[in-house]
Amino acid sequence: MRRWFKRSALPPPALSRSEPPWLFAVALATTLPHAFTQPFWLTAWAGLCWVWALILWRNDRRLPARWLLLPLALAGALAIRIEFGSFFGREPGVAVLVLFMALKLLEMRQRRDAVVVIMLGYFLLLTHYFEAQDIPTALWMLFALWLVSAALLRLHAGALAVRPVLAQSARLLAQALPLMLIFYLFFPRIPGPLWGLPQDAFSARTGLSESMAPGSIGQLVQNDAIAFRVRFDGPVPPKNRLYWRGPVLTAFDGQRWQSGPVTGGKPVIDAAGEDIAYEMTLEAHGQRWLLALDAPRQLPADARADARLTVLLARPLESRQRFRLSAALDYRFNEEETATSRALNLALPAGFNPRTVALAETWRNTRTPEQIVAAALTHFRTEAFYYTLQPPLLGRDSVDEFLFVSRRGFCEHYAAAFVVLMRAAGIPARVVTGYQGGEINPHDGFLVVRQSDAHAWAEVWLAGRGWVRVDPTAAVAPERIERGLASALPAGEPLPFFMRASNDWLRPLLQRWEALNNAWQQQVLGYDQLRQQALLQRLGLPGGWQTLAWLLAGLSTLGLVLLTTLLLYQKRRTPPEIRLLQHALRRTGVHCAPAESPLALAARLARENPETAQRLAPVIESFVLVRYAPDGREHLATLRAAVAALGRRRTP
Amino acid sequence: MLISKDSPAGAASPFAPILAAASHVILGKDHELRLAAACLLAGGHLLIEDLPGLGKTTLAHTLARLLGLQFARVQFTADLLPADVTGVSIFERRHEPGTSEFRFLPGPIFTQVLLADEINRATPKTQSALLEAMAEGQVSVDGESRALPQPFFVIATQNPASQIGTFALPESQLDRFLIRLTLGYPDRQAERALLAGDGGRQRSETLTPLIEPAQLLAWQAEVRQVHASEPLIDYLQALLAASRQAAAWRHGLSPRAGLALLAAARAWAWLSGRNMVLPDDVQAVFIAVAQHRLLSTSNGQPASSSEIASLLSSVAIP
């Protein structure tokens, strides 16, 4: 029984001194990009381990004892538990892997440890795609893959210099390229993630939300991240008509605007003119709504428009996705509206904003609704209102203070004040949030809409005309709608970097980069189930996973057949005497090492197996003559005869 | 018959009697003797790196006597000058006026077998004078080139144990030696025979020449004619390439080293009585040819035999 538990008598293969630099490189290449996202202490911790291991290696010192590493590992794990609250999930999972990688460098004693580092490296490569799937990430991963594979090669190929190892690794990757392409094109694409990702796989993202308070859009505008990209089938409509409709807010509590209850049935759109068709690539925002161009007509299959004309998806958008939509720019929306809906859009919290209510009351009985709307807009235009990203803080009666005291505000102030005015005057009104405008990237023709294009406007319901869009911001700062935010704001406003006019020299560069990124997203990452099906169709093949399975199997088999043919061809090119010798060796069951010369083989056989040696002697002798004698070819017949004789004399 | 187990190595060549006779003087060192013979037959020079008293001089002396060659020995010291090796012109005054002239007194290098003992004790200037003579086969003194006798064979020795006050031969000079050997201690039996008086220096004095020098020149020409087939050249190139790819050494083998390897392998094949080179011949001489030409990356010392043996076993014979 004790035998079972005995330690192996064979010493484990040790790691040579020239191996660790490769593993340091592997660790660095596979963990470095995580430094941007993981907690700072982890980066510092891993960096210290790395430097420590490097110094120990350089000075040929002993690695730290195991009793020292164990508390280190435990402390690191505990810190991760405290930082993330769990070991499970994407971020703590990656953190644990980084921790392991750093610690493993302090434990490189045997080849086994090096293999662990390399396999961990391969795994860590994958985790970077959680963070980003852009071009720099892809390039870096390719570089890291090259390094890790080179390290693996180096470990098994023995004492080779750096250059041949790297060259061989590059060759291997190049050889894998066709297979990669086949799998990229024909591996069944699954909508949504392939396997369940943990809860925190999608962290909080910037974008519109379902509530609005003074300042919330002003804050969003500071961000120049891209919200979505649009490509119109036809010409791009004028900028002042590009209203991208997001959440509609009806409930006002005096301070915040909230979504409120949605009542009514299907929205009724009475469109004039032709629909404008477009394709939208929406960045993941973790919400259900789409930002459809007002007013949406054709919707994607898995989306519907609710009673307030917000286009909703079945589930929150957790990854960048492409949608096909169309819109009518001239339309009438819900000429009939239910009494409940009208009442909801008239509600105001009691006891707030008395001055505003009083002003509206004066209009209420003397004018028609259209005149009231015009009067309110005239009020904004003629009084000294000021469009700014830095409005003063407002107190309890925020609309009163804004309309009569500060008169400084951003789009949400104007939209909110306008809606309160309308409601107080007896006109159903509500706030619509979304994006306005966008910018054409001259390099690829896509309209790019950023978070900085976020906007809020108002919608009023007029009998006989339905819901009509009114943008009070346009009354105060028409440049905002005509030419964009940067030209509407006075100098010195804290605009996002990308929008500043002084960046004119940088802008084309950034636009070019974004166009490149967009192409990558559209062409490479955007290759989804639909495009896969389209490709199959273009190839004249029926869609469905069966086709894909056949294609994958077929192409792989084809590859194997090609490879076999190539090998056979090479074999054909091997000289006949080598094939004859190999044949003879196979027949006698003799193994010959690649570096074993024929005479050495004969001598070895004579010692180990004299009978076989005697049988093979004529073969080896004539082989040597064919291969090395001055008149080699003349002995080929002798060799053939010797090999043939081998078969005849075979013992039954 | 190529596969002949019972006959001793080299029995088939005309050189066999010489090796047999030498092995009665240098006891238990048949392989080294044969390498020295291969070096001689390939027209190269030999470097022996060993401690004193292991029979370096005896080896040189024995070979010279058996082959009927002149023998000279120079003990290299730090104050040895180039002229002490190559010779010097002196002004000879004669009584009859007008007949006085410069006369060249040839140095010890004008011999057929030169034993340059402890070559690393001399200054680089003297070393290079010798090494140039080795490479060119002639000596230039006072602007006049004087050819050295044929055949010309240098056996240089180095003492690796005491390196104080020595000038180690640079890599480029090491490359001029075709083969480097270490004799090492004799085995028990050989040493016992030596102590019993069967061999050694005294015995070498009694040797009589077995051949004329002209015969040696003829053999050298024969060695150059030994056939090296395409597959063998492929193997040689594979070895050179592997030495250049290995991380263990600073530089790989030079093309000159490749030529040296082929020449030594030819001589080895000829000593085996063959008119073609086999991979076995290359393998047999590879360590002796390559070892002093490959310097370790870590300490700059010549490569160890085991490293070179592992290189040999890693390169497949095409």
Side-chain angles (χ1 to χ4, degrees):
Chain A
M1 195 62 194
R2 277 178 56 195
R3 269 178 141 175
W4 288 84
F5 296 103
K6 232 174 97 177
R7 284 194 144 199
S8 161
L10 301 166
L15 205 57
S16 80
R17 211 186 121 69
S18 56
E19 294 291 347
W22 287 94
L23 303 174
F24 290 133
V26 164
L28 198 65
T30 54
T31 55
L32 194 64
H34 279 310
F36 297 112
T37 46
Q38 72 200 7
F40 175 74
W41 64 263
L42 184 59
T43 307
W45 197 91
L48 276 178
C49 283
W50 193 87
V51 171
W52 187 14
L54 188 71
I55 290 174
L56 288 181
W57 171 80
R58 253 197 78 91
N59 300 335
D60 231 344
R61 301 278 294 276
R62 280 165 58 96
L63 290 168
R66 279 178 213 271
W67 60 261
L68 191 63
L69 286 181
L70 188 66
L72 266 177
L74 287 178
L78 190 68
I80 286 175
R81 184 78 171 73
I82 293 168
E83 173 87 33
F84 298 101
S86 161
F87 288 124
F88 302 102
R90 184 184 60 125
E91 285 186 36
V94 172
V96 166
L97 286 180
V98 171
L99 189 88
F100 282 176
M101 178 64 113
L103 273 174
K104 197 69 201 169
L105 293 181
L106 291 168
E107 206 190 39
M108 286 191 304
R109 296 184 162 85
Q110 303 160 11
R111 284 171 71 88
R112 195 179 59 195
D113 298 313
V115 172
V116 169
V117 167
I118 287 168
M119 293 305 148
L120 203 55
Y122 274 122
F123 196 84
L124 271 165
L125 280 181
L126 216 58
T127 60
H128 293 281
Y129 290 113
F130 286 138
E131 307 289 348
Q133 306 182 348
D134 48 15
I135 298 172
T137 309
L139 287 178
W140 180 267
M141 287 311 115
L142 196 65
F143 166 73
L145 182 66
W146 179 46
L147 258 186
V148 179
S149 305
L152 185 61
L153 268 173
R154 176 66 170 73
L155 193 66
H156 291 289
L160 278 180
V162 176
R163 202 182 282 247
V165 173
L166 287 178
Q168 181 62 27
S169 175
R171 225 169 292 138
L172 278 180
L173 289 189
Q175 282 165 2
L177 207 64
L179 196 67
M180 189 198 86
L181 274 178
I182 291 175
F183 272 78
Y184 172 79
L185 287 175
F186 299 120
F187 193 83
R189 299 268 161 173
I190 295 159
L194 192 53
W195 47 79
L197 281 170
Q199 277 298 304
D200 67 338
F202 311 106
S203 39
R205 298 186 168 96
T206 48
L208 293 174
S209 70
E210 277 191 299
S211 74
M212 183 186 87
S216 59
I217 289 193
Q219 222 166 32
L220 186 57
V221 162
Q222 311 281 336
N223 191 328
D224 58 8
I226 289 171
F228 53 92
R229 291 183 169 95
V230 176
R231 173 135 67 182
F232 289 96
D233 289 4
V236 182
K239 212 166 183 178
N240 59 8
R241 308 203 66 177
L242 295 176
Y243 281 85
W244 307 97
R245 191 181 184 90
V248 177
L249 312 175
T250 53
F252 182 50
D253 61 1
Q255 194 60 229
R256 300 184 69 81
W257 286 88
Q258 307 258 338
S259 172
V262 183
T263 61
K266 275 175 76 85
V268 181
I269 302 283
D270 181 11
E274 262 187 48
D275 283 2
I276 292 172
Y278 62 95
E279 193 175 61
M280 162 181 274
T281 309
L282 186 56
E283 300 288 318
H285 56 25
Q287 307 283 3
R288 282 180 60 200
W289 58 73
L290 285 183
L291 283 307
L293 183 62
D294 228 1
R297 300 278 289 160
Q298 288 280 322
L299 300 180
D302 52 344
R304 62 178 185 85
D306 73 357
R308 297 186 302 201
L309 212 52
T310 304
V311 181
L312 293 173
L313 294 166
R315 63 181 71 81
L317 185 71
E318 298 296 11
S319 60
R320 181 186 300 113
Q321 211 174 321
R322 221 188 336 240
F323 302 98
R324 272 211 72 82
L325 294 145
S326 76
L329 292 181
D330 300 300
Y331 62 93
R332 289 189 172 206
F333 167 31
N334 276 7
E335 286 174 69
E336 303 296 324
E337 192 61 281
T338 59
T340 19
S341 172
R342 288 210 301 273
L344 265 175
N345 287 308
L346 283 168
L348 281 176
F352 279 92
N353 305 315
R355 291 179 67 183
T356 311
V357 175
L359 175 67
E361 292 284 345
T362 60
W363 294 340
R364 186 168 191 159
N365 298 321
T366 55
R367 306 173 195 212
T368 63
E370 281 85 353
Q371 286 171 331
I372 295 174
V373 170
L377 289 178
T378 312
H379 179 80
F380 282 126
R381 204 173 293 129
T382 50
E383 302 288 322
F385 279 96
Y386 194 67
Y387 186 64
T388 173
L389 266 175
Q390 296 165 298
L393 283 175
L394 300 175
R396 180 179 178 275
D397 294 319
S398 54
V399 176
D400 271 8
E401 279 178 51
F402 167 66
L403 274 181
F404 302 107
V405 184
S406 72
R407 291 183 175 172
R408 298 160 72 88
F410 196 57
C411 57
E412 72 263 35
H413 296 89
Y414 291 96
F418 183 80
V419 170
V420 170
L421 264 173
M422 289 303 111
R423 287 186 178 187
I427 302 172
R430 58 195 182 190
V431 174
V432 184
T433 59
Y435 297 84
Q436 202 282 319
E439 188 185 23
I440 298 280
N441 187 325
H443 300 291
D444 58 4
F446 275 78
L447 181 84
V448 180
V449 178
R450 296 167 194 281
Q451 298 299 346
S452 51
D453 295 314
H455 193 49
W457 59 93
E459 223 171 29
V460 292
W461 188 82
L462 303 173
R465 287 182 57 188
W467 288 101
V468 175
R469 179 173 61 224
V470 180
D471 191 349
T473 309
V476 183
E479 309 84 12
R480 162 68 183 89
I481 309 303
E482 303 291 340
R483 297 216 304 276
L485 186 63
S487 49
L489 287 171
E493 293 273 342
L495 268 174
F497 181 75
F498 198 86
M499 300 192 66
R500 278 177 229 165
S502 61
N503 279 333
D504 275 353
W505 58 273
L506 199 58
R507 227 179 155 81
L509 268 182
L510 286 170
Q511 275 174 341
R512 211 171 269 276
W513 171 241
E514 283 192 353
L516 185 68
N517 256 322
N518 186 30
W520 167 261
Q521 283 166 12
Q522 303 282 343
Q523 305 304 325
V524 180
L525 300 180
Y527 182 73
D528 54 9
Q529 203 179 16
L530 285 174
R531 306 233 326 235
Q532 194 171 43
Q533 296 296 339
L535 178 71
L536 290 183
Q537 263 172 16
R538 211 176 314 153
L539 294 174
L541 295 165
W545 63 268
Q546 294 93 336
T547 315
L548 292 172
W550 279 114
L551 264 176
L552 272 182
L555 285 173
S556 310
T557 315
L558 189 72
L560 278 178
V561 167
L562 276 177
L563 206 67
T564 317
T565 323
L566 200 72
L567 285 178
L568 281 176
Y569 175 70
Q570 273 189 344
K571 196 168 181 180
R572 199 147 291 277
R573 275 177 53 202
T574 54
E577 69 269 18
I578 292 212
R579 269 186 289 152
L580 282 166
L581 180 70
Q582 281 170 348
H583 179 73
L585 292 182
R586 266 200 304 277
R587 175 154 274 183
T588 46
V590 171
H591 178 75
C592 175
E596 196 171 27
S597 75
L599 291 192
L601 173 72
R604 181 168 64 86
L605 282 178
R607 282 195 311 275
E608 293 173 357
N609 192 346
E611 198 221 338
T612 316
Q614 216 164 14
R615 283 177 65 199
L616 272 177
V619 175
I620 294 180
E621 170 125 10
S622 42
F623 170 79
V624 168
L625 286 175
V626 173
R627 200 131 173 90
Y628 300 110
D631 48 357
R633 296 292 123 186
E634 291 169 18
H635 299 277
L636 202 54
T638 326
L639 176 61
R640 282 222 171 83
V643 174
L646 207 62
R648 279 203 298 281
R649 276 191 295 165
R650 207 167 156 200
T651 40
Chain B
M1 189 70 183
L2 290 162
I3 309 165
S4 47
K5 275 80 64 183
D6 31 43
S7 67
S13 85
F15 207 84
I18 298 168
L19 281 179
S23 70
H24 286 129
V25 180
I26 316 215
L27 299 167
K29 294 285 167 204
D30 289 349
H31 184 72
E32 285 78 3
L33 263 178
R34 209 176 145 172
L35 276 172
C39 185
L40 186 56
L41 285 165
H45 304 285
L46 182 67
L47 178 67
I48 304 181
E49 209 162 90
D50 233 325
L51 299 169
L54 289 173
K56 290 172 296 210
T57 317
T58 314
L59 173 72
H61 204 230
T62 305
L63 281 178
R65 281 198 81 106
L66 284 173
L67 299 171
L69 302 173
Q70 300 168 9
F71 175 79
R73 173 185 168 159
V74 182
Q75 176 68 45
F76 276 48
T77 57
D79 53 0
L80 190 76
L81 296 174
D84 296 337
V85 179
T86 56
V88 68
S89 293
I90 55 165
F91 187 70
E92 202 170 50
R93 190 130 180 220
R94 302 233 171 107
H95 294 299
E96 300 93 65
T99 57
S100 301
E101 57 176 2
F102 278 100
R103 193 161 67 87
F104 180 67
L105 291 183
I109 199 167
F110 287 87
T111 182
Q112 285 168 318
V113 174
L114 175 73
L115 178 65
D117 230 349
E118 299 200 75
I119 187 170
N120 55 341
R121 294 231 165 263
T123 54
K125 194 174 177 182
T126 311
Q127 284 176 4
S128 64
L130 172 69
L131 293 161
E132 231 170 286
M134 281 163 55
E136 311 294 334
Q138 63 179 25
V139 171
S140 299
V141 180
D142 299 336
E144 200 178 325
S145 295
R146 293 164 204 276
L148 292 170
Q150 283 293 328
F152 176 63
F153 183 48
V154 173
I155 300 178
T157 73
Q158 280 199 97
N159 182 349
S162 61
Q163 294 293 327
I164 302 164
T166 63
F167 301 91
L169 288 174
E171 285 161 55
S172 57
Q173 307 282 41
L174 279 175
D175 209 20
R176 294 187 195 279
F177 290 97
L178 184 72
I179 278 180
R180 193 195 76 141
L181 279 184
T182 55
L183 286 173
Y185 293 107
D187 60 28
R188 203 180 138 76
Q189 223 176 348
E191 189 153 32
R192 198 172 178 83
L194 183 72
L195 292 172
D198 297 343
R201 189 68 183 275
Q202 285 76 29
R203 181 106 187 228
S204 76
E205 306 288 345
T206 65
L207 293 172
T208 47
L210 294 179
I211 57 161
E212 297 284 306
Q215 180 66 60
L216 182 64
L217 288 174
W219 282 345
Q220 285 184 342
E222 267 181 47
V223 164
R224 283 194 291 273
Q225 296 304 316
V226 172
H227 178 72
S229 66
E230 290 286 320
L232 186 101
I233 301 291
D234 287 344
Y235 178 50
L236 220 110
Q237 279 197 308
L239 282 175
L240 295 179
S243 80
R244 289 164 196 167
Q245 291 210 331
W249 304 307
R250 280 187 190 161
H251 311 289
L253 292 172
S254 65
R256 177 155 61 183
L259 287 172
L261 186 58
L262 183 58
R266 278 195 162 117
W268 193 268
W270 185 86
L271 279 172
S272 307
R274 271 187 269 107
N275 63 340
M276 57 185 160
V277 187
L278 298 188
D280 305 79
D281 304 317
V282 178
Q283 289 177 348
V285 299
F286 188 70
I287 291 181
V289 173
Q291 195 169 19
H292 59 291
R293 292 176 157 100
L294 293 172
L295 298 182
S296 166
T297 321
S298 49
N299 54 11
Q301 292 296 308
S304 74
S305 308
S306 62
E307 277 175 338
I308 297 182
S310 82
L311 174 77
L312 265 184
S313 65
S314 75
V315 177
I317 299 172

